[in-house]
Amino acid sequence: MKRALAGLLLLGLVACAPRLQGVDPSRPPSPEQWDPQPAPIEWWYVSAYLPEQELAFHWAFFKYYAPEGYRVLGLPARAVFPYPFASEHLAVTDLRADRFDFQERHDFPELRAEVRANPLYLDLDGWRFQRTPEGFRLQAGSVDVTLTPTKPSVVHPPGWSGTAETGRMYYVSYTRAELRGTVLGREVRGTAWIDHQWGEQMSGVAALWDWYGVHLSNGDDLMLYRIRDVQGNLKVLHATRVDPLGRATRLDGVRMEPLAYWTSPVTGLRYAVAWRVEGEGWRLELEPLRLAQEIRPPGLPVAYWEGPVEGSGTWFGEDVRVWGMGEFVGGRYRR
């Protein structure tokens, strides 16, 4: 009888487990998919380097379910916890004061986060990101800004990033948005980058990455996303050019060569923080503006470097200046 009851309980829990959708490579997303999706993991990013104010920030909101295959007291974790959890990150760099500050919030176990669609609304203990008629508004810690896209949302070719081995993520962006508001109490105005990704990639567990989201002085934007397995083997390199009219084009034959490294005195991880990136018709060199930019989120299984970058080079026959943000993972993070 006890075994039968236990079996019925297990069947009931499994029936309550969420029906989540991974990435189908044959079905790219719509560039308008900014609302929450039924994915195992999902995040929204806002990143901005503001040269005139010597400030930069990176904000992220993560929505995730218990990983597939995990068990709690012998039971499927997704059946025991059939609801999503949320985490929120905010990293602010003050180049003028040579200061980097990172804050993190979680809603476990109270499940305090609000995640709503149509229009998009994300909130965790008063840190919120919401869609407005003009674009978006972000209010988190010392950051209170409006974001008005100046280019349409794009799907990064081929519509997703990653591999079957590392896991895949759908990927859409507003690569250029006018930013206005306050950061650290200073009036700011500049250019921001807004991302939305969702899928089944267990970042930091099955996949490591190096990423750039940068703006070019000729009006183009460039996204580079290099994915490695946990042994450090390169698996895929995606690159997207978004022209001044907002047209996204895949760049092929791309190469990334590290030029300088920084080793964290806390984790011992070694990060490639300066790069030469190039392809047919273009070549750029990008450098960090501050080295000690490591983020060690207690709620995630990965440490990473995030910070403002600048550079220059040639871009399809033009000399260009480059500015924006870089994000690099030095290796698997073991506490």
Side-chain angles (χ1 to χ4, degrees):
M1 178 65 72
K2 289 182 178 180
R3 288 185 178 180
L5 289 174
L8 289 173
L9 175 61
L10 178 59
L11 287 173
L13 287 172
V14 171
C16 293
R19 298 181 182 275
L20 304 179
Q21 299 174 6
V23 170
D24 181 350
S26 68
R27 300 181 62 186
S30 162
E32 302 308 317
Q33 283 184 263
W34 285 85
D35 283 338
Q37 303 296 315
I41 187 167
E42 177 173 28
W43 56 72
W44 294 261
Y45 286 177
V46 178
S47 299
Y49 166 42
L50 310 169
E52 293 184 4
Q53 292 83 31
E54 298 181 89
L55 291 169
F57 72 85
H58 164 70
W59 166 87
F61 188 102
F62 301 91
K63 178 176 72 71
Y64 49 93
Y65 289 84
E68 187 175 14
Y70 280 39
R71 303 184 76 81
V72 176
L73 299 176
L75 299 173
R78 285 188 185 172
V80 178
F81 301 108
Y83 37 75
F85 304 105
S87 296
E88 206 165 355
H89 291 179
L90 178 66
V92 180
T93 303
D94 185 344
L95 295 170
R96 193 177 300 168
D98 190 26
R99 180 177 175 180
F100 176 68
D101 180 63
F102 172 71
Q103 300 176 63
E104 182 180 38
R105 294 185 173 189
H106 303 282
D107 74 342
F108 182 83
E110 296 90 351
L111 301 177
R112 302 180 307 278
E114 291 185 61
V115 179
R116 302 200 300 261
N118 194 30
L120 174 67
Y121 181 90
L122 311 172
D123 181 279
L124 179 52
D125 294 341
W127 286 10
R128 63 180 61 92
F129 179 65
Q130 57 189 317
R131 192 132 207 182
T132 68
E134 296 75 26
F136 299 90
R137 185 173 183 187
L138 172 63
Q139 298 166 286
S142 63
V143 175
D144 186 349
V145 295
T146 61
L147 303 153
T148 306
T150 56
K151 292 183 181 181
S153 179
V154 299
V155 175
H156 292 284
W160 43 268
S161 65
T163 66
E165 175 189 355
T166 62
R168 296 187 177 99
M169 299 292 288
Y170 287 127
Y171 191 2
V172 300
S173 296
Y174 286 104
T175 62
R176 197 172 286 227
E178 182 183 12
L179 176 151
R180 295 188 181 189
T182 59
V183 177
L184 293 177
R186 300 184 210 166
E187 294 287 336
V188 294
R189 181 173 180 176
T191 303
W193 183 294
I194 313 172
D195 274 347
H196 181 206
Q197 292 185 251
W198 67 98
E200 73 273 357
Q201 185 183 98
M202 292 300 296
S203 302
V205 176
L208 310 176
W209 66 93
D210 301 294
W211 172 89
Y212 277 115
V214 293
H215 313 291
L216 280 64
S217 55
N218 72 336
D220 281 0
D221 301 307
L222 171 66
M223 186 284 298
L224 288 171
Y225 196 174
R226 191 178 84 129
I227 298 175
R228 296 167 283 135
D229 63 20
V230 292
Q231 286 76 38
N233 301 306
L234 180 63
K235 291 301 179 180
V236 70
L237 173 56
H238 296 283
T240 304
R241 176 189 186 181
V242 180
D243 71 13
L245 298 179
R247 294 172 296 198
T249 305
R250 179 174 180 167
L251 298 175
D252 294 315
V254 179
R255 297 175 295 279
M256 295 181 67
E257 177 187 352
L259 299 178
Y261 294 86
W262 176 77
T263 299
S264 166
V266 178
T267 63
L269 295 176
R270 185 172 180 249
Y271 298 90
V273 293
W275 294 81
R276 178 181 296 117
V277 296
E278 59 186 339
E280 295 182 7
W282 61 278
R283 178 172 176 154
L284 306 172
E285 291 193 2
L286 301 169
E287 298 182 349
L289 297 179
R290 190 177 184 277
L291 290 176
Q293 296 279 133
E294 185 182 49
I295 292 175
R296 301 179 302 278
L300 295 179
V302 62
Y304 58 97
W305 188 102
E306 179 89 34
V309 301
E310 286 186 346
S312 62
T314 58
W315 183 257
F316 299 100
E318 295 183 78
D319 292 333
V320 293
R321 293 177 295 102
V322 185
W323 76 98
M325 297 290 284
E327 183 174 287
F328 317 118
V329 177
R332 193 160 182 176
Y333 180 28
R334 292 180 174 86
R335 291 178 173 82

